[in-house]
Amino acid sequence: MTGSPRRTLVTTALALLAAVAPLTPSATAAPRTSAAADAPAALDLSASRAQWIDKNTLAWEVQGDAASQELVYARDGKLAVKDGELTGEGRRIRLTPAEGGLTDAQRKKYPHLKSYAAFTVDPRDRDRVRHALTGQLVATRAGADGTLLTATGVQTQGILDDLYGAAATKAALGPQFRDGRPTLALWAPTAQSVSLELDGKRVAMRRDDAGGVWSVAGARSWAGKQYRYVVKVWAPSVQKVVTNKVTDPYSTALTADSTRSIAVDLDDPKLAPKGWEQLKKPKATPLRGAQIQELHIRDFSVEDKTARHPGTYLAFTDTKSDGVKHLRELAKAGTSYVHLLPAFDIGTIPEREADQATPDCDLTAPAPDSEEQQACVAKTAAKDAYNWGYDPLHYTVPEGSYASDPDGTRRTVEFRQMVQGLNGSGLRTVMDVVYNHTAASGQADKSVLDKIVPGYYQRLMADGTVATSTCCANTAPENAMMGKLVVDSLVTWAKEYKVDGFRFDLMGHHPKANILAVRKALDALTLKKDGVDGKKIVLYGEGWNFGEIADDARFVQATQKNMAGTGIATFSDRGRDALRGGGPFDEDPGVQGFASGLFTDPNASKANGTPAEQKARLLHYQDLLKVALTGNLSAYTFTDSSGRRVKGSEVDYNGAPAGYADAPGDALSYSDAHDNESLYDALAFKLPADTTAAERSRMQVLAMATSTLAQGPSLSQAGSDLLRSKSLDRNSYDSGDWFNALHWNCEDGNGFGRGLPPAADNKDKWAYGKPLLTSANLTPGCAEINGTSAAYQDLVKLRATEPAFSLKTTDQIQSRLSFPLSGTSAETPGVITMELGNLVVVFNATPQAQEQRVAGLEGTAYGLHPIQARGADPVVKSASYARGSGTFSVPARTVAVFERG
């Protein structure tokens, strides 16, 4: 209770009488003013424009003066506005305007509310605050004559954290087992009641008033039982009190299609595959040296004829399959991690095979440029077995469609077997995690969190609607219990599934503090205590800056610039765009870049500009790539292509600094990923149409080399070393197996020419793509596919065996890495020459052999690096060095690494 103990019984009684007075219009009430009549939008209870930020303060953007303001609450949720009056049985909490508005501390915590007016809860009414939060809440302002001027719903995220956060963040939620006995706990502070539905029966739960946590202790017989929570709560999205039967957001196991949670102890020995406790992992590679393969679980094996468990977790245990053999080759070359696209419980895939739709036509029959394949795939896309999985339903349970049986704990066992299989192949495992949004919100079928504490876990806009800048219903990790869910979930994946790293989808939508809290929690895991060395777990994510939280509007974001120096990497788009050309959303996909022929091998696209414009842009792209090769260091200084001495942060990238990293490992380089066109498809659009298959293979290797040989971690989409194509599909998240499947056997092709890509995201590019899909130049054979992979593996091996590619400090990079020809008359458009310790690397993206004379190296012995000299690429073996003049000669479309002799 927060009310003053000094109040007399008379005062209390009078206040209570006023508080329960009906809110129906009075026969003697003053008539509404024209201002109220003319502003119906001001009387809208479906919006929530007021924000209760702590137990004493309401923030509200209001205009004009009012004689009084109140919070009105009703447990039955029947407050309404009728004829300009608030109706229904409600209780009142008086509010007083706070002179000067929000305090400095409040503005710092809620910067997006800094201009809002502040209203203080009357001390006489503070004992009603907790009760008020369990029903409908309305903020009102009235004129001197009692006329209702404004009425709106109230957002309560801030006050819930203020009242309950300290205790609730320390609570153990979900199923917790001790000596075989489970305790089930759910945070639901606004619920009017919560009970447990176990095997169809209701079991009462006890509420802890300090934290708002409801819990119940069960018997041993509860282990393995199905359950749901029955939550009675006010739901603003439907403007009524509802009773939801909802699964546990902290579920550790689920029935098929996530209809019920299952009380499961993840430490149960029955869920541990043979050898799980003694699992030996490959040696950990520091993030700054990580070479990562990004892989979708179903893509990996669904069309692999040699896999015994196609499309499932267990495919990674098929040691004789073509896919596993290829992963082992990559691991042997130096690839250190496999990054799995989302593998938690997914909201859009029917988990039982019998319920999954399949295309009902022969996809192999139509022509390579036909519309028929995509039309057929689109008919079943919503109900087939395919989705990338960026639509989370339950964050801490493996997806059921990848298991041999989605009903129960086979998914737990088989996920662990997958980790064993990858570790046994010499690869550590990274999970792609998506905590920035949910599959749905409100009362939707696929909503979980918002049915338990409505309006809390989702990020709300100023009017109380759910933000959707991420594509879906955004979450709010800035709120204490959503932040806790992120940390708790990741610790579970690390401890119970022995996952070695996490990649955060849209990490910029998280507060920096939340990601650092994850790092701290993982660092606390030890082999002795937890079976895991948490400090060796790598973290990286998408640090994009956009949406309602852009430019730190609500909190300090986990964006590229803000995460510098934390040891948590962000994807760097600088090098990707420079090597490809343009950006992912260009109207004309023919915009060229360094590795796609800009100026040196122009295509027919007018979007590239005049030769002079192309040359200027190419030289700027080369500067962007130089910065990328340093690991995107902001403080690294070099001479740019114009001859100026600049820092990485002073090189322009679309109005932002190209260099933003403080240390090696802050930025992750990549030439392609699951998003946007695959590298092969991007080059298909950009290279001149008459470029041969062999030449395309060489450009693929050169493009991949710009990230593989850069300082800091590097990621490649699985199959890019095999010229992987998705038939020009730029957004294949729901395009089915036909467009997405990996082809490990070169005789099956590379995926190109499987028809025009799905219309929904690609029709505007069909005119550009249709002539390409039938081109013989774009249909590589085994020589090109296998040759690309072998040359790429040589580069990975070079990267892994030469310490110079993984320098530890900015100072080391500044002193050992340089671009000796940059900004001089000897700088060649389309060629980058990099000196790195005892190595010289020449990237020749032009269609002609090039000579690069480096003054100061005359008389110094160099030779082609032994890995390339003995390697798979016959062309690079003709690269040479003239000691007398210090001149390096490199064949067309080739990256060559020379070693000082």
Side-chain angles (χ1 to χ4, degrees):
M1 300 290 286
T2 58
S4 170
R6 296 183 179 179
R7 293 190 307 172
T8 65
L9 291 175
V10 173
T11 304
T12 303
L14 290 173
L16 288 174
L17 284 171
V20 297
L23 297 170
T24 52
S26 166
T28 59
R32 289 187 302 150
T33 66
S34 59
D38 292 342
L43 305 178
D44 182 5
L45 304 192
S46 65
S48 296
R49 298 185 181 277
Q51 299 197 34
W52 205 348
I53 62 172
D54 59 42
K55 60 180 176 289
N56 296 325
T57 311
L58 185 84
W60 196 358
E61 189 173 34
V62 295
Q63 295 179 348
D65 296 326
S68 65
Q69 43 280 316
E70 296 177 325
L71 284 170
V72 185
Y73 63 97
R75 191 174 174 85
D76 63 6
K78 293 184 179 180
L79 299 177
V81 173
K82 183 177 181 180
D83 298 328
E85 300 285 350
L86 192 65
T87 66
E89 297 285 342
R91 298 182 177 226
R92 295 177 173 87
I93 294 175
R94 289 160 287 193
L95 300 171
T96 303
E99 188 175 348
L102 298 175
T103 67
D104 289 343
Q106 289 170 333
R107 289 190 179 99
K108 183 177 181 180
K109 187 172 183 179
Y110 300 102
H112 60 299
L113 306 180
K114 62 185 178 183
S115 65
Y116 280 36
F119 299 89
T120 303
V121 173
D122 192 307
R124 296 169 294 176
D125 298 338
R126 288 176 183 171
D127 58 345
R128 303 177 195 167
V129 168
R130 289 176 185 261
H131 183 68
L133 292 167
T134 63
Q136 181 185 13
L137 271 168
V138 176
T140 67
R141 300 172 74 235
D145 59 358
T147 300
L148 188 64
L149 302 176
T150 317
T152 185
V154 180
Q155 298 183 36
T156 60
Q157 313 94 306
I159 188 173
L160 291 178
D161 280 350
D162 186 41
L163 288 179
Y164 299 108
T169 51
K170 298 174 185 175
L173 300 176
Q176 302 291 325
F177 280 77
R178 178 175 294 180
D179 298 327
R181 296 177 181 274
T183 296
L184 299 171
L186 178 74
W187 187 66
T190 63
Q192 296 178 7
S193 66
V194 179
S195 58
L196 179 70
E197 184 185 82
L198 186 79
D199 276 351
K201 298 178 181 179
R202 295 279 184 93
V203 180
M205 299 183 75
R206 181 181 61 84
R207 187 182 192 274
D208 167 45
D209 289 336
V213 174
W214 301 72
S215 63
V216 59
R220 291 177 183 272
S221 61
W222 285 18
K225 296 288 188 181
Q226 299 178 15
Y227 71 97
R228 290 187 298 185
Y229 297 115
V230 183
V231 182
K232 184 178 180 181
V233 67
W234 163 257
S237 63
V238 291
Q239 291 287 290
K240 63 182 179 180
V241 175
V242 296
T243 299
N244 289 321
K245 293 185 176 181
V246 61
T247 48
D248 191 341
Y250 274 72
S251 294
T252 52
L254 295 161
T255 59
D257 294 325
S258 312
T259 57
R260 300 286 192 283
S261 301
I262 305 174
V264 164
D265 181 3
L266 293 178
D267 291 329
D268 186 340
K270 295 178 183 177
L271 303 183
K274 184 178 179 181
W276 181 246
E277 295 302 323
Q278 297 78 37
L279 178 62
K280 291 184 178 180
K281 289 188 168 290
K283 184 180 179 181
T285 300
L287 182 58
R288 70 175 186 279
Q291 295 291 290
I292 305 164
Q293 284 280 301
E294 183 200 60
L295 185 63
H296 184 273
I297 289 171
R298 187 172 174 88
D299 291 353
F300 172 66
S301 59
V302 71
E303 288 198 10
D304 185 348
K305 301 178 183 66
T306 64
R308 293 187 298 116
H309 304 91
T312 68
Y313 298 123
L314 292 179
F316 294 89
T317 69
D318 294 339
T319 56
K320 296 183 180 179
S321 73
D322 288 343
V324 171
K325 287 178 181 177
H326 193 81
L327 289 184
R328 286 184 167 177
E329 289 176 2
L330 290 172
K332 186 178 180 181
T335 299
S336 41
Y337 294 89
V338 160
H339 158 161
L340 299 170
L341 265 64
F344 47 56
D345 184 41
I346 299 169
T348 49
I349 299 178
E351 292 189 331
R352 292 187 179 91
E353 187 175 355
D355 298 331
Q356 297 167 355
T358 55
D360 60 357
C361 48
D362 181 2
L363 295 172
T364 64
D369 61 345
S370 171
E371 298 179 22
E372 295 179 39
Q373 298 96 326
Q374 63 86 31
C376 184
V377 168
K379 290 178 182 177
T380 57
K383 296 182 179 180
D384 67 3
Y386 196 88
N387 199 285
W388 278 348
Y390 292 92
D391 48 351
L393 191 51
H394 295 86
Y395 285 116
T396 322
V397 182
E399 163 60 17
S401 67
Y402 300 142
S404 60
D405 182 357
D407 213 359
T409 55
R410 286 309 306 167
R411 58 176 86 185
T412 296
V413 176
E414 292 174 6
F415 188 103
R416 288 170 166 174
Q417 288 177 286
M418 173 182 68
V419 172
Q420 280 182 309
L422 285 165
N423 290 172
S425 294
L427 295 157
R428 288 192 160 224
T429 308
V430 171
M431 275 185 69
D432 199 327
V433 289
V434 189
Y435 295 104
N436 64 82
H437 63 252
T438 52
S441 63
Q443 290 296 111
D445 288 345
K446 299 294 184 180
S447 175
V448 176
L449 295 168
D450 215 19
K451 287 183 176 178
I452 297 168
V453 192
Y456 177 83
Y457 285 101
Q458 315 294 158
R459 183 177 298 128
L460 304 182
M461 301 298 284
D463 62 355
T465 56
V466 175
T468 57
S469 58
T470 63
C471 83
C472 312
N474 294 5
T475 60
E478 64 269 28
N479 297 340
M481 295 304 285
M482 184 62 209
K484 171 182 168 62
L485 175 57
V486 173
V487 174
D488 290 350
S489 176
L490 290 166
V491 167
T492 299
W493 285 113
K495 284 179 60 175
E496 303 294 349
Y497 292 94
K498 300 187 180 182
V499 173
D500 305 296
F502 300 99
R503 176 267 194 191
F504 291 88
D505 179 63
L506 299 184
M507 188 169 71
H509 269 60
H510 288 253
K512 177 180 178 179
N514 178 233
I515 303 301
L516 293 180
V518 169
R519 180 74 274 170
K520 182 178 179 180
L522 294 175
D523 285 349
L525 301 177
T526 65
L527 283 170
K528 183 177 181 180
K529 177 172 59 76
D530 307 290
V532 173
D533 184 350
K535 292 182 179 179
K536 291 182 178 177
I537 292 173
V538 299
L539 300 178
Y540 56 95
E542 293 180 300
W544 315 136
N545 177 36
F546 68 96
E548 72 285 349
I549 42 72
D551 300 323
D552 301 330
R554 297 196 182 201
F555 46 77
V556 177
Q557 303 161 257
T559 48
Q560 288 173 327
K561 69 181 181 70
N562 289 343
M563 295 308 290
T566 64
I568 299 167
T570 54
F571 282 80
S572 173
D573 39 2
R574 280 68 165 153
R576 177 203 65 181
D577 288 354
L579 70 90
R580 289 175 172 230
F585 308 108
D586 292 332
E587 183 177 345
D588 182 345
V591 177
Q592 292 177 290
F594 176 80
S596 57
L598 180 64
F599 180 67
T600 64
D601 196 12
N603 60 27
S605 173
K606 294 182 180 179
N608 287 308
T610 65
E613 291 169 334
Q614 291 189 40
K615 181 179 180 181
R617 194 165 85 252
L618 175 57
L619 290 172
H620 181 64
Y621 280 159
Q622 291 180 198
D623 287 339
L624 287 174
L625 283 167
K626 292 165 196 169
V627 176
L629 287 164
T630 73
N632 279 98
L633 294 175
S634 62
Y636 178 86
T637 59
F638 71 107
T639 302
D640 70 8
S641 294
S642 69
R644 296 183 307 128
R645 192 71 183 174
V646 296
K647 294 180 180 179
S649 60
E650 294 171 337
V651 177
D652 177 71
Y653 172 71
N654 300 329
Y660 63 84
D662 284 350
D666 283 350
L668 181 146
S669 298
Y670 67 112
S671 53
D672 72 346
H674 64 278
D675 278 327
N676 312 126
E677 290 90 354
S678 71
L679 177 59
Y680 185 83
D681 288 343
L683 294 179
F685 276 126
K686 296 172 185 298
L687 286 168
D690 61 356
T691 307
T692 67
E695 291 167 334
R696 291 176 187 277
S697 165
R698 301 202 64 75
M699 294 304 277
Q700 183 94 355
V701 174
L702 185 133
M704 296 176 78
T706 61
S707 55
T708 303
L709 301 182
Q711 299 292 319
S714 170
L715 177 142
S716 175
Q717 182 178 200
S720 282
D721 64 310
L722 297 169
L723 302 179
R724 181 184 187 180
S725 169
K726 298 179 183 179
S727 207
L728 305 178
D729 191 348
R730 76 166 184 86
N731 189 18
S732 67
Y733 79 100
D734 201 20
S735 299
D737 299 329
W738 180 252
F739 289 100
N740 282 288
L742 276 158
H743 306 282
W744 302 111
N745 188 327
C746 63
E747 293 180 358
D748 296 327
N750 70 331
F752 193 80
R754 288 196 153 206
L756 285 164
D761 286 304
N762 300 279
K763 193 170 184 178
D764 59 337
K765 301 294 191 298
W766 277 5
Y768 297 98
K770 192 174 177 65
L772 301 174
L773 291 169
T774 56
S775 170
N777 288 334
L778 282 147
T779 308
C782 283
E784 291 80 27
I785 293 172
N786 291 340
T788 301
S789 184
Y792 169 71
Q793 288 180 45
D794 285 345
L795 293 175
V796 172
K797 192 178 299 182
L798 258 166
R799 165 65 188 259
T801 56
E802 285 289 349
F805 289 113
S806 299
L807 298 175
K808 296 181 180 180
T809 68
T810 299
D811 287 344
Q812 287 178 341
I813 293 174
Q814 184 68 67
S815 64
R816 301 184 193 180
L817 190 157
S818 64
F819 302 98
L821 302 183
S822 183
T824 71
S825 59
E827 180 163 16
T828 307
V831 184
I832 295 175
T833 299
M834 176 174 73
E835 190 173 356
L836 179 62
N838 68 338
L839 305 175
V840 171
V841 185
V842 180
F843 302 87
N844 178 13
T846 75
Q848 300 89 26
Q850 297 287 348
E851 292 186 345
Q852 297 286 283
R853 183 176 180 273
V854 181
L857 295 186
E858 301 95 331
T860 305
Y862 279 91
L864 189 64
H865 196 284
I867 288 176
Q868 286 190 309
R870 297 193 297 263
D873 179 10
V875 175
V876 74
K877 293 177 183 180
S878 65
S880 62
Y881 171 69
R883 181 173 181 174
S885 61
T887 301
F888 300 87
S889 299
V890 179
R893 300 185 171 99
T894 296
V895 56
V897 180
F898 298 87
E899 183 179 39
R900 191 180 302 157

